[in-house]
Amino acid sequence: MKNPVLEAIRNRRSIRKYLPDQIKDAELKAILEAGAYAPSAHNEQPWHFTVIRDRQLLDRISEKSKELMAAEDTDWIKKMGRDGAFHVFYRAPAVVVVSMRKDAMSPLVDCSAAIENMLLAAESLEIGSCWIGLVRYYFSIKSELPLLNIPEGYEPCYAVTLGYKAQHPGKPLPRKKNAVSYIG
Ligand SMILES: Cc1cc2nc3c(=O)[nH]c(=O)nc-3n(C[C@H](O)[C@H](O)[C@H](O)COP(=O)(O)O)c2cc1C
């Protein structure tokens, strides 16, 4: 079956190479709005989005994440931390840090739904995106968090990179078989 929503779902891939040009404000606004239209337990909408377009801050977050990654025991994380060319945001021109309200019913799930909505909205606008978990290393440095303007009672969980694509990874990755059972 073919429709624009299904196509965006099927075509979305993590983009890890971006053009330096900033995305348009209207595009960013549409993506953030898509995030805010995600479902949430009890309709709590327990998310806060911090848009970062400041190159210096983005580079600082990457560097500090990498410092902690480099000291990890897990080999692939240590390797990435020590790789001079690696940038935790792939030098995307815009990043949305997603924070969750700590006392909400289901904050991580709700924020994850918001993130997926943003990734799909970005794809529908031909904007590249990637869900970034490695930035949690940076979020663990409590003294840095005031730089992120996070409201009281919230904590950052993930980030989403946004920018025009400088790579087109092509076909979706194969999906696992046997992920569905039917009863009736
Ligand atoms: C919770 C979560 C954390 C992720 N963290 C990262 C990350 O830090 N860096 C990265 O490049 N990709 C990250 N990804 C993207 C996955 O690697 C990617 O979605 C997966 O390999 C499938 O590829 P696709 O998105 O192109 O379909 C993350 C995805 C999820 C759901």
Side-chain angles (χ1 to χ4, degrees), residues 20-90:
D21 317 58
Q22 191 52 262
I23 62 168
K24 297 186 180 77
D25 282 350
E27 293 168 330
L28 176 63
K29 223 172 138 196
I31 291 167
L32 294 167
E33 188 182 52
Y37 270 87
S40 60
H42 245 246
N43 188 32
E44 287 189 310
Q45 304 176 32
W47 42 66
H48 181 81
F49 307 134
T50 308
V51 177
I52 309 179
R53 290 177 287 193
D54 180 306
R55 187 76 263 153
Q56 270 185 335
L57 181 56
L58 293 174
D59 291 345
R60 177 189 178 95
I61 296 173
S62 177
E63 279 313 305
K64 293 209 172 273
S65 303
K66 285 174 67 182
E67 279 170 23
L68 295 183
M69 289 165 64
E72 269 285 1
D73 290 336
T74 314
D75 251 9
W76 66 269
I77 296 179
K78 192 202 297 263
K79 236 183 173 168
M80 284 173 116
R82 292 181 179 180
D83 178 353
F86 176 70
H87 194 288
V88 86
F89 298 135
Y90 305 103

Side-chain angles (χ1 to χ4, degrees), residues 18 22-25 27-36 47-55 57-58 61 88-89 91-100 111-112 114-119 121-122 127-136 138-139 148-150 155-163:
Y18 295 94
Q22 191 52 262
I23 62 168
K24 297 186 180 77
D25 282 350
E27 293 168 330
L28 176 63
K29 223 172 138 196
I31 291 167
L32 294 167
E33 188 182 52
W47 42 66
H48 181 81
F49 307 134
T50 308
V51 177
I52 309 179
R53 290 177 287 193
D54 180 306
R55 187 76 263 153
L57 181 56
L58 293 174
I61 296 173
V88 86
F89 298 135
R91 297 183 179 78
V95 169
V96 181
V97 169
V98 178
S99 300
M100 54 185 183
C111 285
S112 297
I115 291 170
E116 178 65 2
N117 267 15
M118 288 194 270
L119 302 185
I127 288 168
S129 67
C130 188
W131 186 325
I132 304 294
L134 288 170
V135 68
R136 291 169 75 95
Y138 178 80
F139 297 155
L148 301 181
N149 268 341
I150 292 163
E155 68 182 347
C157 53
Y158 290 111
V160 174
T161 54
L162 295 171

